Amino acid sequence: MNKIGLILSREYLVRVRKKSFIIMTFIGPILFGGITIVPIWLSKEAIEERVVYIKDDSGLFKGKFKDSDNTRYVFTEANLEEAKENVDRHVTPNLLYIPAIDIDQPKGVAFFSNSNPSFSLVNDLKNVLRDVIEEIKLDRSGLDKQVIENLKVSLDISTINLREGKETESNVGVATVVGYLGAFMTYFFIFYYGTQILRGVIEEKTNRIIEVIVSSVKPFQLMMGKILGIGFVGLTQFVLWVILTAAVSSGIFYAFGITKSDPGNQINQTMDIQDAEAIAAANSKSSEMFQAILSQDYTLIVFAFAFYFLGGFFLYGSLFAAVGSAIDHESDAQQFMLPITIPLIFSIIALTAVLNEPNGSLAFWLSVIPFTSPVVMMMRIPFEVPLWELLLSMVSLLAGFIFTTWIAGRIYRIGILIYGTKVNYKTLAKWFFVKS
Amino acid sequence: MATLYTDRINKDFIGHKALDDISINIPEGNIYGLLGPNGAGKTTLIRIITQIIMADSGVVYIDNRPITPRDIERIGYLPEERGLYKKMKVADQLLYLARLKGISRNDAVDRIRTWLKKLELDEWANKNVQDLSKGMQQKIQFISTIIANPEIIILDEPFSGFDPINADTIKDEILKLRENGATIIFSTHRMESVEELCDNIALINKSKKILEGSKVEIKNSFKSNTYYVEHKGDLVDMPKEFQLIKSEVNGEQIAKSEIMISDGTVGNDLLKYLVNSVQVVAFIEKIPTMNEIFINAVTQERHE
């Protein structure tokens, strides 16, 4: 065991001191921070007050445009050419031109701007125009306004999770985002660090240091030390990312004057991007959303990530080590890597189906089978998984990696000492059955 | 001090017999040459002794008991195909390899300092291995083999990659290690180093041991009772117990001849005869070189 520790610490220290690790450690959180911050920042930009000049030749819309927090509507009497010139000279940056339209066929409405108008602004304008025209048409049809009002339905379903005796307001949107993030991170980490195992094994083989090492330790100890060492590098990276991402995000939040004590504001803007309809949502609804984000059990998610990353990494990593031991060059790895990684890739593809029914039988089986469980379970956790399923999945992952490590160890002990042989699946099977 | 012997080792690689009933006996404090052409099975035998691979049958004995995994710490092994972690610092690398052999950190640090100084590498301690010349890397590799003060040292082609000066340094160190009681197994097909260093040898060919014993005895057993003579004057009408094998004359009229004597006569008889017939310049008994023995034994096998 002591020797595994020595190998582990070498593998760990060599990688943690590498420039690429340090760069990744700092760039990761900036990227993640950026992903969460940029949309907020963008919507904050949009909050600057803008003025829309309206040249209404039809005369139907006077007083119909209501000023909002950040948009003011001004009717202009200038003729169209003048007004357009003003846009060009930045005097009036936005101009909505409504010609004298035929309400049965409203055509020729145009929006002039010296920059690309935002999607939400155009949407707002369209909504007002449509409403007004609809209203006029309804008026003409002679239907009672009251009847029409009564026909309109306003419906909103709040989803409330009754499990474990307490009512937690769950939000499918938040759970989806958190789930996807966890699943992709697991996938990425398994792949990224799994490949490092492959490289490390091939390096030792091509360096020919392997024979020196295995004259001091058992091949299995070397393999385990390497896998554990690299696994801890991954874990270190993850922990640093969590800390730094939190720091970067809160730093930027602070810089933009969005603080946690002002959840309404923060959420309002997040929703800008998520859902155009929701822009109109009231502040009370925003804080519900904020509650939903907070209601996720992040301790569980971080713990689960650590477990499923390490479990999945050991499972696939040991197979990668076996592949690395069998070949002489990284370029030969492809034929063996593909079949190994198919379940991993499949679990990413299956995420959409899992998302449709996070507690359905497909989701259940994929999160119990150890080859797909690391990715799929991370998707399911934000949707609250029964404890027994979580435990079953963890036990099965443990069993899975013990099994693959055993197989890999048997191939590895032979493979690392064999050079220049064309290896196929038949030879791998022969190595596996060689007695020790 | 340690003795080592193997008892009827067999090893089969998928359809190919690599070692066939190999029993060798390595006396303690000896330099033991393991000789044989490429592919004879030397490396396989070494890998079995170092417990990198397992024999199909047969036992390796160390100090008259079967070898155990713990004994690995008493063996230092320099493989023929060597390598180091290229991007690791020299001192760190040696420390790592020493600690894998069970040496404590403090001991290892001291020994590394001493050895680097001894082989004039102390300035390179904090350089990455890839920044060193090939010869220096080989020296580092040699240090890594002996850093744990092993009682048994196995060197597979230790001189390959060294210039003559460095090869000499290493040779001196090997001899010192023997003086300090280490048992050294030395695998090579360079006969001049066998000639210089080995006390005992075994010759392996086509997975079988065909010769084993002390170098001197083996050489004597391959003697062909032939003498090399340089002389002035012609050799004519020699008695029938002396047979002239060849003779040639160079510019200064010194003839170089090889004479084989028949059984029952000794070298002195020939010398007496020569002294009376010609002017003797040189008289040497022809003892076969290891090279000749090696080629002889291997080609003979091939013909059988």
Side-chain angles (χ1 to χ4, degrees), chain A residues 3 10 204 207 211 215 417, chain B residues 72 77 83-85 100-101:
Chain A
K3 288 186 177 172
R10 191 200 85 88
E204 273 165 1
N207 262 0
E211 213 167 327
S215 72
L417 291 169
Chain B
I72 209 77
Y77 174 38
L84 297 161
Y85 291 109
L100 284 183
K101 280 286 183 196

Side-chain angles (χ1 to χ4, degrees), chain A residues 3 6-7 10-11 17 203-204 207-209 211-217 417 430-431 436, chain B residues 14 47 52-54 72-73 77 79 81-86 88 93 96-97 99-101 141:
Chain A
K3 288 186 177 172
L6 278 172
I7 294 162
R10 191 200 85 88
E11 298 288 341
R17 285 180 191 150
E203 186 207 356
E204 273 165 1
N207 262 0
R208 308 274 174 154
I209 194 166
E211 213 167 327
V212 177
I213 305 278
V214 293
S215 72
S216 305
V217 300
L417 291 169
K430 270 184 196 157
W431 293 352
S436 62
Chain B
I14 307 162
R47 283 180 175 179
I52 291 172
I53 54 175
M54 293 292 156
I72 209 77
E73 295 184 353
Y77 174 38
E81 298 284 2
R82 29 205 100 136
L84 297 161
Y85 291 109
K86 292 200 167 31
M88 220 175 156
Q93 183 129 220
Y96 176 59
L97 293 172
R99 297 204 63 204
L100 284 183
K101 280 286 183 196
Q141 192 103 42

